[in-house]
Amino acid sequence: MPPLPDLPVRAVLDELRTALDARGGAVLVAPPGTGKTTLVPLALAGLDGSGPAPEGTVLVAEPRRVAARAAAARMSSLLGTEVGGPVGYRVRGDARTGPGTRVEVVTSGLLLRRLAGDPELAGVSTVVLDEVHERQLDADLLLTLLLDARDGLRPDLRLLATSATLAAARPAALLGGDDDPAPVLEVAARSHDVTVTHVPPARAGRGGTERIEHTVARTCLRALEHGSVLAFLPGVAEIGRTASALRELGPDADVLALHGRLPAAEQDAALREGPRRRIVLATAVAESSLTVPGVRAVVDSGLVRVPHTDHRRGLSGLVTRRVSRAVATQRAGRAGREAPGVAYRCWPEGEGLADAPDPEIRTADLTALALDLAVWGTPDGTGLRWWDAPPPGPLAAGRSVLGALGAIDAGGAVTDRGRRISALGLHPRLARALLDGVAAGGDPREVAGIVAVLDDDTLAGPADDLTAALARLRSGDAPGARRWRGDRDRLTGALRRARAATPAATSSPAAAAPPDTGSPGTGSPDTGSPDTGSPDTGSPDTGHRSGAAAGTPARARGRTDRAEGAAGAELVALVTGLAHPERLARRRDTATGVFLMAGGTAVEVPPGPLRDAGWLAVAVADRRPGQTHGRVRLAAPTDAATALRAGAPLRVTGSEVVWSDGDVRARTVDRLGAIVLSEKPDRSPDPGAVREALVAGLRAEGTGLLRWTAGAVSLRERLGFLHRVLGEPWPDVSEEALLDAAADPAGWLAGPLATARRRSDLARVDAGPALRRHVAAHVGGLAGRIDDLAPERMTVPTGSRIAVDYSGAAPALPVKVQEVFGWTGSPAVADGRVPVVLHLLSPAGRPTAVTADLDSFWDNAYPQVRAELRGRYPKHAWPEDPRTATPGRGTGRRR
């Protein structure tokens, strides 16, 4: 056995083995380049020559396919063996293992599928969860399910979580317990100093800034003086545009791409040091999982693409965000792996960054996670140990989708159809489209080819027409044609196995349409796809690698592809609509290219042939912050017949009574979701529906729709005062409370709403009597005391009856000073509990003083007020003792 490299992690291997043997779990914190991904699995499998090999296989779960393949290749190279010998890998559509494989590197998604079918993980001694700090959705769920499997089925299963950052407290508590966390072992990297320089985007015309691709390209040229460059970009599209910009600048270096969608040979080329300097343009895959040799400089765009679901609009996909401080530090560290280096950050110095990235479980679509939990037997996830538990709202939305797909029953238990959907290794929506597209009469390979592009829309290239993109893929002219054929054939095989496993079960394209709570987390032709966006959840397919089906002659493949092309656009739109029925869209405005989707979201179509279509089956749509409409990224043109077939469960015909444009609107409507196909007025609407529409109108525009006389307004203010001061049983008459009570069929507007039919009827409803009935229903006989407890008017010493103002925080009485001569104290209401605030006025009605303690006012403030008023109003009587003076309205001479 060749000697293994002396990497920093070797110092803790003995301690690590001891910890796992004693506790069954541990956390290893080790930065990139320390050997945690390569030396640790070899040591745990006994392949480092340290002693006898333990029984069982060591599984290493990586977040990405490219990382899994690279780790297996590196470990095999260290052992001097071929991949598939002692060390192998298994990813979606590709596997290299053998009978003597002791270390198997898999993706987190693939291990989830294996765990669902074999919860005991027979023959496995240890599972290494690599790069847990990335907090990817599949990795978080995998940790939770492995803990549950160890607790209930495999107490001997050893679990090791590795992380490139120091956030180890939570995984240690999960692996060991809150009171006795698992051991945490830390390894320091042998790193060199990295100089950090900020190179923000330059100013562009009209006050803008240059595109990030141009900033990265010119910075890469500057960084070449230090040696080979590793540049981080958010997605595939940005990598392509940066490569184009570099070709125009003509650098004296090889420009290579590195992301999860590349063919294996191109990925390997980026991971090998060449004879010339290199500029490697990479996505987040190169942050921690992979080692790019020879790098002396890092150029960081400062951007990352992450899954995000807009549940309100039913749009889901990838959004571009600023990196966190932890990620920026990790990226910069790549420049100092082998020698002192330089990191260029393409954003202004001092710009605020989040401490760490958000876990995907907080932002992503949880439909697939909900299905995994149902298959596991814990539909709501309770009783499991989570790093971060799934948010209840998105999890419930995912379960709602599964219920509509027929994947779970009313109790949340997985159905046979749900198990078939799970076994296909696709997002449940896409699995439904694959099953039901074939059930609807589509050729299995043709349907699989369509679903392959829906699963990975980067295969469509820059096109927005899905039908045209598929035609180019079939012809072999598209760059991703080979990869597409491999994915198509893999899905065809998975479909065949699923149908063979349950031959009696059938799929139905008329299954209920799922609520549009988000789509598979795919990218888009424009925004690209990061390696985090497409979970590797496919079932193992060891028969062939990407490309054509094994054993199929090229000439026969060509004839088959041409025959499939003849199936036409109808099937493309049908399968797309089955995956996303809420995204079936009808043209609303040809000039602007606005379409209305069945889910209710308006989207704009880029200029081109798609705008001429009457209907679209939208595969990918997103929405920029601040924009009114969403944007169509990829869609198939279709007609009404196909759209109605794909979205049949969304079609509803019946009477609709709504509050619209300020009044009740009753009509008989034929609609596909939010798309109105036809309508006509309904002359005899259901009274209950009319009442609901009127209540909706009140909620939309407020109780001001009713007729409020001055007496009604006063009554409401007095009741509000009694509720604040005395509480129950006096009812709350705030706007919100009255609207809630109006929705009650027995509420304060029960009578008027029973006969009203339109807005004008509400305008004739006198709110005063309705309020009195409302009060009587709450307080019974106390209703007769309203005027005693909160009198509408109050008699002052002159005999005037003056209205009390209850609209403020305390009841107020505006009264002239002369009219309260003879009062020795302030009046009170609510059985004497609340003094009335006197707003004392001059003879001309101007404010003079405010007091809630008249007795104190006479003693302290009145002498000064008297002096001022005597000077301004000399004809009026201003006695020295107001308590004994005669009150009056006019001048003293008149009296």
Side-chain angles (χ1 to χ4, degrees):
M1 180 180 297
L4 298 180
D6 185 21
L7 294 174
V9 79
R10 294 192 67 173
V12 301
L13 289 180
D14 290 339
E15 185 181 357
L16 179 61
R17 280 187 286 251
T18 301
L20 288 174
D21 290 340
R23 297 292 305 278
V27 178
L28 175 62
V29 178
T34 54
K36 74 176 186 304
T37 302
T38 52
L39 297 191
V40 168
L42 295 178
L44 297 181
L47 295 176
D48 62 343
S50 60
E55 295 184 2
T57 302
V58 174
L59 293 181
V60 182
E62 292 288 344
R64 304 175 182 88
R65 281 174 281 179
V66 60
R69 291 180 54 259
R74 177 60 178 160
M75 283 187 275
S76 297
S77 174
L78 293 176
L79 296 177
T81 61
E82 293 292 325
V83 177
V87 180
Y89 69 83
R90 191 180 297 272
V91 299
R92 185 172 66 177
D94 186 13
R96 289 188 180 181
T97 60
T101 298
R102 301 297 312 281
V103 176
E104 185 176 334
V105 191
V106 298
T107 54
S108 301
L110 198 64
L111 186 50
L112 280 173
R113 303 278 75 72
R114 178 170 174 178
L115 194 61
D118 178 18
E120 295 187 16
L121 289 180
V124 175
S125 65
T126 307
V127 177
V128 179
L129 300 163
D130 201 15
E131 314 296 359
V132 295
H133 64 278
E134 294 190 9
R135 302 302 312 278
Q136 291 195 358
L137 184 61
D138 280 347
D140 274 13
L141 176 60
L142 180 60
L143 173 60
T144 291
L145 298 188
L146 284 171
L147 290 171
D148 196 48
R150 188 183 68 174
D151 292 344
L153 300 171
R154 284 290 309 277
D156 61 321
L157 182 65
R158 303 189 301 177
L159 300 178
L160 172 64
T162 73
S163 171
T165 67
L166 293 175
R170 182 57 181 160
L174 289 171
L175 290 168
D178 292 333
D179 297 330
D180 187 17
V184 177
L185 288 76
E186 297 183 17
V187 177
R190 298 169 186 165
S191 58
H192 301 270
D193 291 337
V194 175
T195 302
V196 176
T197 301
H198 287 263
V199 187
R203 293 288 181 181
R206 296 182 180 179
T209 57
E210 67 179 341
R211 290 182 66 111
I212 190 63
E213 297 91 337
H214 297 294
T215 307
V216 171
R218 64 179 174 83
T219 307
C220 285
L221 289 183
R222 174 180 172 182
L224 273 176
E225 64 181 79
H226 303 284
S228 291
V229 178
L230 173 61
F232 288 99
L233 290 146
V236 176
E238 288 84 358
I239 286 176
R241 288 194 288 267
T242 303
S244 298
L246 282 169
R247 282 192 290 269
E248 294 178 3
L249 297 173
D252 182 21
D254 295 327
V255 179
L256 303 170
L258 178 58
H259 55 80
R261 302 297 188 181
L262 284 174
E266 295 183 38
Q267 293 175 348
D268 294 342
L271 297 175
R272 288 194 302 268
E273 196 164 6
R276 300 204 320 149
R277 290 179 303 174
R278 302 181 306 149
I279 299 176
V280 179
L281 307 176
T283 58
V285 69
E287 287 174 3
S288 57
S289 303
L290 299 174
T291 297
V292 181
V295 171
R296 295 293 184 271
V298 163
V299 177
D300 187 359
S301 69
L303 301 174
V304 65
R305 193 152 291 131
V306 296
H308 178 75
T309 300
D310 184 342
H311 292 282
R312 187 167 68 87
R313 293 180 177 85
L315 297 178
S316 165
L318 302 170
V319 295
T320 303
R321 298 273 174 82
R322 179 66 76 195
V323 297
S324 66
R325 186 176 297 105
V327 170
T329 300
Q330 198 168 48
R331 289 181 175 184
R334 288 298 191 168
R337 290 283 300 276
E338 301 173 359
V342 178
Y344 296 90
R345 291 176 171 171
C346 299
W347 64 87
E349 186 173 4
E351 180 175 327
L353 302 177
D355 291 335
D358 282 336
E360 281 188 9
I361 200 168
R362 295 181 186 170
T363 60
D365 170 31
L366 300 187
T367 304
L369 178 141
L371 181 57
D372 288 332
L373 290 177
V375 172
W376 192 252
T378 55
D380 57 2
T382 56
L384 300 178
R385 284 182 282 163
W386 296 92
W387 192 324
D388 283 292
L395 181 61
R399 296 179 65 189
S400 179
V401 171
L402 296 178
L405 296 178
I408 59 175
D409 60 22
V414 66
T415 62
D416 290 341
R417 176 175 166 86
R419 293 190 183 279
R420 290 199 306 281
I421 288 174
S422 175
L424 289 173
L426 292 165
H427 187 281
R429 286 178 174 272
L430 301 184
R432 180 268 175 113
L434 183 61
L435 291 171
D436 292 355
V438 173
D443 177 80
R445 292 182 79 239
E446 175 70 1
V447 174
I450 299 167
V451 172
V453 180
L454 297 179
D455 187 34
D456 177 8
D457 54 79
T458 61
L459 289 167
D464 56 17
D465 188 330
L466 177 57
T467 305
L470 280 164
R472 288 191 294 273
L473 289 169
R474 294 189 194 97
S475 68
D477 294 338
R482 178 179 174 84
R483 180 159 56 94
W484 171 74
R485 285 195 297 269
D487 289 347
R488 177 197 62 186
D489 295 341
R490 174 182 56 81
L491 291 176
T492 304
L495 177 63
R496 182 172 58 250
R497 289 189 295 273
R499 297 173 74 186
T502 54
T506 59
S507 302
S508 170
D516 197 5
T517 57
S519 62
T522 56
S524 69
D526 180 60
T527 58
S529 173
D531 302 287
T532 60
S534 180
D536 185 14
T537 55
S539 55
D541 189 352
T542 59
H544 57 83
R545 301 185 66 184
S546 61
T552 305
R555 186 176 301 172
R557 285 202 308 273
R559 288 196 300 270
T560 301
D561 287 342
R562 285 192 295 274
E564 291 174 345
E570 180 181 348
L571 184 61
V572 177
L574 177 65
V575 173
T576 305
L578 288 173
H580 305 292
E582 289 80 10
R583 294 186 185 175
L584 292 163
R586 188 177 67 179
R587 187 177 61 207
R588 194 166 73 181
D589 187 336
T590 304
T592 59
V594 175
F595 283 66
L596 178 64
M597 297 197 298
T601 299
V603 290
E604 293 182 15
V605 177
L610 284 182
R611 282 195 174 186
D612 297 330
W615 287 79
L616 293 175
V618 178
V620 179
D622 61 17
R623 177 182 169 274
R624 289 176 176 172
Q627 296 296 312
T628 303
H629 299 147
R631 297 179 300 170
V632 171
R633 295 296 194 182
L634 188 64
T638 188
D639 54 23
T642 303
L644 295 178
R645 184 182 178 198
L650 294 178
R651 189 170 186 181
V652 177
T653 301
S655 177
E656 292 184 359
V657 184
V658 296
W659 183 270
S660 177
D661 297 328
D663 211 335
V664 176
R665 187 180 180 193
R667 55 184 179 160
T668 300
V669 182
D670 181 13
R671 64 165 64 246
L672 183 71
I675 301 172
V676 176
L677 304 173
S678 65
E679 63 175 307
K680 60 182 180 180
D682 185 354
R683 305 299 182 189
S684 301
D686 176 66
V690 172
R691 184 186 186 285
E692 291 179 3
L694 291 169
V695 171
L698 286 167
R699 288 196 179 280
E701 302 189 30
T703 57
L705 289 174
L706 309 175
R707 182 163 64 92
W708 288 91
T709 63
V713 172
S714 172
L715 175 61
R716 182 176 180 180
E717 292 174 351
R718 290 188 288 150
L719 290 172
F721 163 73
L722 292 176
H723 177 74
R724 292 193 306 272
V725 173
L726 302 180
E728 295 295 337
W730 296 100
D732 184 0
V733 291
S734 64
E735 185 73 0
E736 182 179 359
L738 288 182
L739 291 174
D740 288 341
D744 184 355
W748 68 295
L749 292 178
L753 291 182
T755 57
R757 289 291 178 267
R758 55 190 60 86
R759 183 192 187 102
S760 59
D761 295 336
L762 291 179
R764 288 190 289 269
V765 175
D766 189 342
L771 269 183
R772 289 196 177 274
R773 288 193 297 270
H774 183 54
V775 173
H778 280 76
V779 303
L782 283 177
R785 295 205 62 206
I786 294 176
D787 293 334
D788 295 334
L789 296 171
E792 185 176 6
R793 293 179 176 274
M794 186 167 286
T795 303
V796 297
T798 59
S800 299
R801 289 180 52 78
I802 300 175
V804 182
D805 182 3
Y806 292 90
S807 61
L813 184 71
V815 60
K816 293 179 181 179
V817 176
Q818 298 155 297
E819 294 204 61
V820 296
F821 288 165
W823 264 357
T824 58
S826 295
V829 292
D831 279 340
R833 300 184 191 184
V834 180
V836 176
V837 178
L838 299 179
H839 289 244
L840 300 175
L841 310 175
S842 71
R846 295 187 178 93
T848 297
V850 176
T851 181
D853 186 350
L854 186 61
D855 188 53
S856 175
F857 173 78
W858 292 144
D859 290 336
N860 301 300
Y862 175 71
Q864 182 179 349
V865 171
R866 174 177 177 267
E868 293 176 358
L869 294 178
R870 285 182 70 188
R872 292 165 59 186
Y873 304 97
K875 295 182 179 181
H876 292 256
W878 302 107
E880 293 184 3
D881 184 4
R883 293 184 177 88
T884 60
T886 302
R889 301 188 183 93
T891 65
R893 182 178 301 173
R894 183 182 305 171
R895 293 200 301 276

